[in-house]
Amino acid sequence: MSNVNSFWSPRVAVLEPYVPGEQPRIAKLVKLNTNENPFGPAPHVLEAIMAAASDGLERYPDPDSMALREAIAARYGLDSSQVFVGNGSDEVLAHAFFAFFQQAEPLLIPDVTYSFYRVYAQLYGIACELQPVDAGLRIDVPTMAVRAATDCGGIVIANPNAPTGTGLPLRDIQRLLEACTRRVVLVDEAYVDFGGESALPLIERHPNLLVVQTLSKSRSLAGLRVGFACAQPHLIDALQRVKNSFNSYPIDRLASAGAIAALADEAWFAHTRHEVMDIREGLALQLEDLGFEILPSQSNFLFVRHPAHDAMALASALRARAVLVRHFDEPRITQYLRISIGTREQCGLLVDALSDILG
Ligand code: PMP
């Protein structure tokens, strides 16, 4: 029998793919492992999707997604030429890595950050240089800025960071932009709507700034797969070139209609994101009472550790009680748990389960 792996290209054999949080089908699961937003999308989203489903599914969607790009541009005070959309921000990030970072110099990314960045770098053969974080897992911005001022292939930073949840003030992003002017600085703002400071206002002044956001978190549309990037038009053009060399139609008709409806509902957006932040603060206090140490969070999750209990053991004890949280078995963060903010009821069930486990 031939070796089945001989069918693989040499590139595939060496890949180390990203492993997303599990999506199990367990009844009455308290699912706090993938930073989904428990409140669901704005009420008109479903109506808009149903209307789109009953009209025109036999035809391809607009390859340029102009209606959606215009809606995003209008929401953020930009022009549609400054907006790129993709099938989730993960796809936007992948295209950005391909478009901007295949440089001779290494790409700078924080040592503790969204682990997909390293996967994209590997996929596209981009050399990375990990930048130190301090004891509180905060990005060491001064050190990174000094490094960026010498030859670097660009910077990727999540703000607020994942999986720590901690945000950087805008002046730190500014500092990195001032240090790295020759290459692109990508700021991934997947969680920015939960208390972070957005770098969108800096786009006008910085021709090398790319800001990436998603509708998966603060708009509660993880299942629809819509993400976007904002930048000056020359960077958007590069992303369009990559996208048009990969998939002409990443945004389907339903996704476009749902996303536009979500962006139109400011009241739902404001209400649900404030609810998430409020629940987060309450949960942090309850977890502190149980002895957990908690990193300051400006996101829809908490990154916590217990000085007396092993994180992996806690995650599996919670799982046995049908409560899912995320544990990363990675250097420096193996004693942490990442807990997504659920409804008040779900967070209550989490606290009950933890109280039970900790005795
Ligand atoms: N960036 C960060 C920092 C994330 O945590 C995630 C969610 N896993 C994403 C991007 C991707 O989100 P999506 O593809 O759903 O837009």
Side-chain angles (χ1 to χ4, degrees):
M1 205 177 87
S2 68
N3 178 358
V4 286
N5 286 352
S6 67
F7 295 124
W8 292 10
S9 78
R11 274 191 297 237
V12 166
V14 298
L15 290 180
E16 290 169 46
Y18 177 74
V19 182
E22 55 178 331
Q23 300 284 354
R25 288 168 175 261
I26 300 175
K28 295 213 174 126
L29 186 67
V30 178
K31 192 171 175 306
L32 306 176
N33 68 329
T34 48
N35 296 344
E36 287 142 339
N37 178 333
F39 296 110
H44 290 302
V45 168
L46 193 57
E47 241 169 72
I49 291 173
M50 287 191 328
S54 61
D55 182 25
L57 275 190
E58 71 281 10
R59 294 199 314 274
Y60 285 109
D62 171 12
D64 291 324
S65 298
M66 277 318 290
L68 176 56
R69 288 167 66 194
E70 277 164 10
I72 293 166
R75 170 63 177 75
Y76 293 100
L78 300 167
D79 186 80
S80 58
S81 64
Q82 297 171 298
V83 178
F84 175 80
V85 291
N87 189 255
S89 60
D90 278 339
E91 186 184 78
V92 176
L93 291 168
H95 288 342
F97 271 66
F98 191 89
F100 305 121
F101 300 135
Q102 289 188 317
Q103 308 287 2
E105 314 90 352
L107 172 67
L108 309 185
I109 62 175
D111 188 10
V112 175
T113 192
Y114 186 33
S115 51
F116 223 144
Y117 302 151
R118 264 178 274 175
V119 176
Y120 295 131
Q122 195 205 22
L123 178 65
Y124 294 128
I126 298 162
C128 279
E129 195 178 296
L130 300 182
Q131 299 300 295
V133 294
D134 67 18
L137 304 181
R138 274 182 179 273
I139 296 161
D140 180 349
V141 175
T143 304
M144 198 165 179
V146 169
R147 173 63 189 88
T150 58
D151 284 348
C152 82
I155 294 178
V156 174
I157 200 157
N159 191 34
N161 197 17
T164 60
T166 309
L168 291 176
L170 210 50
R171 66 172 182 280
D172 281 345
I173 302 296
Q174 186 107 42
R175 192 163 173 180
L176 295 173
L177 281 162
E178 279 157 14
C180 173
T181 52
R182 288 179 53 252
R183 301 294 186 205
V184 166
V185 175
L186 188 164
V187 184
D188 177 354
E189 298 189 338
Y191 300 104
V192 75
D193 294 325
F194 302 107
E197 238 186 306
S198 176
L200 283 175
L202 302 181
I203 282 174
E204 291 297 336
R205 267 180 289 142
H206 294 276
N208 61 331
L209 171 62
L210 187 84
V211 177
V212 177
Q213 293 197 7
T214 178
L215 274 72
S216 297
K217 317 290 178 182
S218 56
R219 310 275 175 177
S220 200
L221 281 172
L224 206 63
R225 313 302 304 128
V226 179
F228 60 94
C230 300
Q232 291 186 14
H234 58 274
L235 297 190
I236 301 303
D237 287 348
L239 291 171
Q240 288 285 90
R241 289 171 72 92
V242 177
K243 170 241 163 202
N244 287 327
S245 306
F246 183 82
N247 178 3
S248 305
Y249 310 105
I251 306 286
D252 63 64
R253 286 173 176 273
L254 310 188
S256 175
I260 290 169
L263 287 159
D265 196 334
E266 283 299 327
W268 183 257
F269 174 65
H271 169 67
T272 50
R273 74 192 186 98
H274 283 113
E275 194 71 357
V276 168
M277 289 189 274
D278 195 50
I279 295 172
R280 178 185 73 206
E281 297 313 304
L283 178 61
L285 293 176
Q286 285 179 296
L287 293 178
E288 258 167 22
D289 284 347
L290 289 173
F292 283 93
E293 295 165 5
I294 297 157
L295 296 189
S297 172
Q298 286 164 309
S299 60
N300 69 337
F301 56 88
L302 292 171
F303 206 49
V304 309
R305 70 173 169 188
H306 199 292
H309 291 269
D310 177 65
M312 194 171 343
L314 282 178
S316 63
L318 282 170
R319 198 177 194 287
R321 289 163 175 79
V323 179
L324 281 193
V325 299
R326 189 92 200 258
H327 173 256
F328 299 91
D329 198 8
E330 288 171 22
R332 274 175 297 294
I333 58 171
T334 186
Q335 281 312 324
Y336 283 87
L337 294 176
R338 192 195 67 189
I339 303 174
S340 308
I341 303 304
T343 60
R344 284 179 207 280
E345 190 197 357
Q346 289 172 321
C347 291
L349 290 167
L350 164 82
V351 171
D352 290 348
L354 281 171
S355 310
D356 189 32
I357 294 161
L358 300 178

